[in-house]
Amino acid sequence: MHQITEAQAIKKTNKHIASMFARNRDTTSSSQLKEKLGHQLTLMCCKDLLPFSIVENEGFQDFLICNKIVNTKYDIPSRTTLSPLNLNKIYNTCVDKTKEQIKLSTNYPTITCDGWSDNLRTQPFNEAHTGESIKDLVSNVLNEFGINPNSVIVVSDKASNMRKAWRLLNVIHVFCVGHGIHNLLMKDCFHNMHYVSEILDKVQSIINKLRYRQHELENEYFRSNEKSFNDLLLSIDKAGEIIDADLASTYIDADDTQVLNEKFQNDNLEVLQLSDDLKFRFHTLKQRIVTRWNTILVMLRSYADNIPGIEVIFGRLKHFDLILTTAENEIVRDLIQFLSLFESTTTILSASKSYPTISLCLLLRIEIESLLHIDGLESSVIQNLKCLISANLDNRFPVTSLYICAFLLDPSQLKIDINRYLTQCHTTKELILSEMIKQFKINDFTQASATNNKHKPPSTSGFDPILDEIQNYLQLDISCDDVLQFWQSSGSAFPHLKRLAQIVLAVPATSTPSEQVFSTTGLILNAKRTMLLPENVGKIQMIHDNYNLLKKT
């Protein structure tokens, strides 16, 4: 029933109805606006991992109306418009733009690959996870993006099915350094040192037992530090009295810190500083995750910070069997000190933004070997731990020709002594670089470029221009802060090595990019989005990771 009573309103309505059938009616602007809004909302949902049903939320609709983005809620694209309609369009555009980027890359692009057994999946993969199945799946993905499977470098772990897949694909396989260090510590060391494993299990049991008693632990922490806290207050009061008395007698401006410090020294007054013992901060107990070695360090740190409170609570609960002995607590502290060295050494390899390349692998190996030196000052537990790591280091973290090649392609590292690794691989610097140039067929590419540019091909005499180029490069003695900038500005003097650097220095040291997919997929498939098709999960993931290619379109 129409709510129109005034004659003027009726006239306007009649005109509006008549205009609906007019041939010159202009409705393209509103439809284009709605289409553009739908495109941007779909991009927003993929980037921020929001459900497409957000367009049906009353609060979101009111936000768009109040900010005059739309006039009514009917101007807002529907949920079905966002997905699958816009999702499929944006995904296809994303794939096309990604293909264009790949075409501009080197002839030997690098991919990372990892496997995870879970209910999460970004596309159906119901076959057995054999080497043949993985090979077929990866081959289909490479063909979809126009990548030749025979000219790919793959970074992955050393699982038998993965290695078989790469052998079948005939690709260059680079071991993930992160997986190697994890297996080195978890499988080769902790599993073989039973008394250490027992201590770790005890600490895990303590944390499980106190999971719901964190508030009691926090109270005990501050109660045990009450004396230090009172000392802090006294120190603050004393400092205030000193400053007040000094200002009252000399009229020194409180902002003139230099004059005030000189007055302190002249009057031999004690300078009060806040020591580390007086910096109060409670650390909650953290559990370990069996697939991440660094979570053991996090767990041990959280335990060590709360040992006094843990002992008080277990004494109150009569759980004396769960209290670690003094010797066991000492082992915990030794493990924290030793693993902290590994943490600082390997943290850079897990950088999510910069994706460190294999040029750092040999430096990391050198650093690890220096940490394993036994000086006789460490405890017997740490000595045994160092011996186990040293015995399995070559297996878990082998020095390969590709690692040495990447190391040498950073001119700032040329003067570092790596003779022991060259001897171990039965090679030389010149030979490694020369073999890598042949392996990646860089000489053929350079000759083809010279022919296309109507230059004369290299001389067929006994003079080897590639070897001469390598020798001239190895004689450099420069300090280089940005290796990519060096090859961009100075690469013309070393054309073959520049092409080699473009390939090798693009190989990441770990499979972190693939592992981040698992984390993102877990955020996409939350409790409110369980009905998403696996294909749509993969499309959202693809758009999310390549958002920068799309946000300007």
Side-chain angles (χ1 to χ4, degrees), residues 271-537:
V271 179
L272 300 174
Q273 296 180 346
L274 182 62
S275 65
D276 292 337
D277 295 336
L278 299 180
K279 295 177 182 178
F280 302 104
R281 185 180 178 185
F282 172 72
H283 299 276
T284 58
L285 296 177
K286 304 291 185 180
Q287 293 184 339
R288 64 178 174 179
I289 302 174
V290 294
T291 57
R292 294 290 181 269
W293 74 266
N294 56 320
T295 59
I296 292 181
L297 178 59
V298 174
M299 178 186 71
L300 294 178
R301 281 174 176 167
S302 68
Y303 165 78
D305 291 339
N306 294 281
I307 289 177
I310 290 173
E311 292 177 348
V312 170
I313 294 176
F314 280 154
R316 187 186 305 150
L317 297 174
K318 309 299 182 184
H319 291 315
F320 300 106
D321 57 315
L322 292 177
I323 299 177
L324 268 62
T325 64
T326 303
E328 290 174 332
N329 284 330
E330 192 62 32
I331 292 177
V332 168
R333 295 187 180 93
D334 289 341
L335 288 173
I336 292 174
Q337 183 179 3
F338 179 71
L339 293 178
S340 296
L341 301 176
F342 268 85
E343 180 189 41
S344 60
T345 306
T346 58
T347 297
I348 189 174
L349 292 178
S350 302
S352 60
K353 300 295 183 181
S354 58
Y355 294 143
T357 64
I358 58 174
S359 62
L360 299 178
C361 287
L362 203 58
L363 276 179
L364 177 61
R365 169 71 185 243
I366 295 173
E367 182 66 20
I368 290 177
E369 289 181 357
S370 66
L371 298 178
L372 299 179
H373 175 69
I374 298 177
D375 52 17
L377 301 178
E378 58 275 275
S379 64
S380 59
V381 174
I382 301 302
Q383 288 184 7
N384 293 337
L385 193 61
K386 288 183 176 181
C387 290
L388 282 174
I389 294 177
S390 299
N392 294 277
L393 186 59
D394 288 337
N395 180 40
R396 299 296 186 183
F397 195 166
V399 177
T400 65
S401 298
L402 194 59
Y403 286 166
I404 299 177
C405 174
F407 177 87
L408 294 174
L409 289 174
D410 186 344
S412 62
Q413 301 176 163
L414 289 176
K415 298 305 177 183
I416 299 177
D417 183 18
I418 58 170
N419 288 328
R420 62 183 182 278
Y421 303 117
L422 295 173
T423 303
Q424 181 179 339
C425 296
H426 306 288
T427 186
T428 62
K429 295 179 181 180
E430 293 83 358
L431 185 59
I432 280 185
L433 294 176
S434 177
E435 288 178 347
M436 286 297 167
I437 289 174
K438 293 178 181 178
Q439 181 175 353
F440 291 111
K441 302 176 182 179
I442 295 174
N443 190 29
D444 297 340
F445 176 85
T446 308
Q447 289 183 6
S449 300
T451 303
N452 293 333
N453 293 329
K454 298 181 180 181
H455 290 305
K456 292 182 179 181
S459 174
T460 57
S461 62
F463 176 72
D464 189 348
I466 297 179
L467 181 60
D468 183 66
E469 175 185 328
I470 293 173
Q471 290 175 345
N472 292 334
Y473 169 74
L474 293 176
Q475 292 176 0
L476 293 178
D477 186 6
I478 60 175
S479 177
C480 178
D481 295 330
D482 190 340
V483 60
L484 298 182
Q485 181 63 35
F486 166 81
W487 287 111
Q488 186 176 9
S489 60
S490 306
S492 57
F494 314 102
H496 298 86
L497 293 177
K498 179 180 180 179
R499 291 287 304 174
L500 183 62
Q502 289 177 330
I503 297 173
V504 175
L505 296 183
V507 181
T510 67
S511 57
T512 298
S514 292
E515 293 175 3
Q516 288 178 340
V517 173
F518 302 139
S519 301
T520 306
T521 306
L523 296 175
I524 296 174
L525 289 175
N526 54 39
K528 295 183 179 181
R529 306 187 73 181
T530 56
M531 296 299 292
L532 273 175
L533 293 175
E535 291 82 0
N536 287 344
V537 175

Side-chain angles (χ1 to χ4, degrees), residues 136-147:
D136 293 338
L137 177 64
V138 174
S139 180
N140 292 335
V141 173
L142 294 176
N143 290 328
E144 178 185 357
F145 287 92
I147 301 175

Side-chain angles (χ1 to χ4, degrees), residues 12-193:
K12 290 182 178 179
T13 303
N14 291 336
K15 291 181 179 180
H16 175 68
I17 293 174
S19 67
M20 293 291 292
F21 297 94
R23 292 187 177 183
N24 60 349
R25 183 173 60 90
D26 185 13
T27 59
T28 55
S29 59
S30 60
S31 62
Q32 287 178 351
L33 179 63
K34 190 173 183 177
E35 182 180 353
K36 183 177 180 181
L37 181 60
H39 178 86
Q40 294 298 329
L41 287 175
T42 307
L43 268 180
M44 180 192 73
C45 290
C46 292
K47 176 57 181 176
D48 298 335
L49 306 181
L50 299 172
F52 297 115
S53 60
I54 189 175
V55 296
E56 300 175 352
N57 296 344
E58 183 178 357
F60 182 74
Q61 293 175 350
D62 291 342
F63 171 81
L64 296 180
I65 295 173
C66 291
N67 288 275
K68 299 181 179 181
I69 298 175
V70 296
N71 295 323
T72 67
K73 66 178 182 179
Y74 302 106
D75 295 329
I76 302 175
S78 66
R79 176 180 178 178
T80 54
T81 301
L82 267 61
S83 176
L85 186 61
N86 281 350
L87 180 64
N88 291 336
K89 290 181 179 179
I90 296 175
Y91 172 75
N92 293 333
T93 302
C94 182
V95 172
D96 292 338
K97 287 184 174 294
T98 304
K99 289 180 179 179
E100 293 175 4
Q101 293 289 318
I102 293 174
K103 289 180 180 178
L104 299 176
S105 65
T106 64
N107 294 334
Y108 288 85
T110 300
I111 66 171
T112 63
C113 187
D114 201 358
W116 187 268
S117 298
D118 205 335
N119 293 327
L120 306 178
R121 56 182 182 176
T122 57
Q123 68 179 69
F125 188 55
N126 298 321
E127 297 84 2
H129 292 187
T130 61
E132 290 82 0
S133 299
I134 295 174
K135 170 250 182 184
D136 293 338
L137 177 64
V138 174
S139 180
N140 292 335
V141 173
L142 294 176
N143 290 328
E144 178 185 357
F145 287 92
I147 301 175
N148 183 5
N150 295 325
S151 59
V152 171
I153 303 172
V154 180
V155 180
S156 75
D157 57 28
K158 296 176 66 175
S160 58
N161 55 352
M162 289 286 190
R163 286 185 292 178
K164 184 175 182 180
W166 312 141
R167 286 197 304 269
L168 294 174
L169 278 173
N170 193 27
V171 300
I172 301 174
H173 182 205
V174 179
F175 298 140
C176 172
V177 177
H179 282 93
I181 294 177
H182 170 80
N183 293 330
L184 186 66
L185 292 172
M186 297 294 292
K187 295 183 178 181
D188 298 330
C189 297
F190 294 144
H191 288 184
N192 292 326
M193 300 178 69

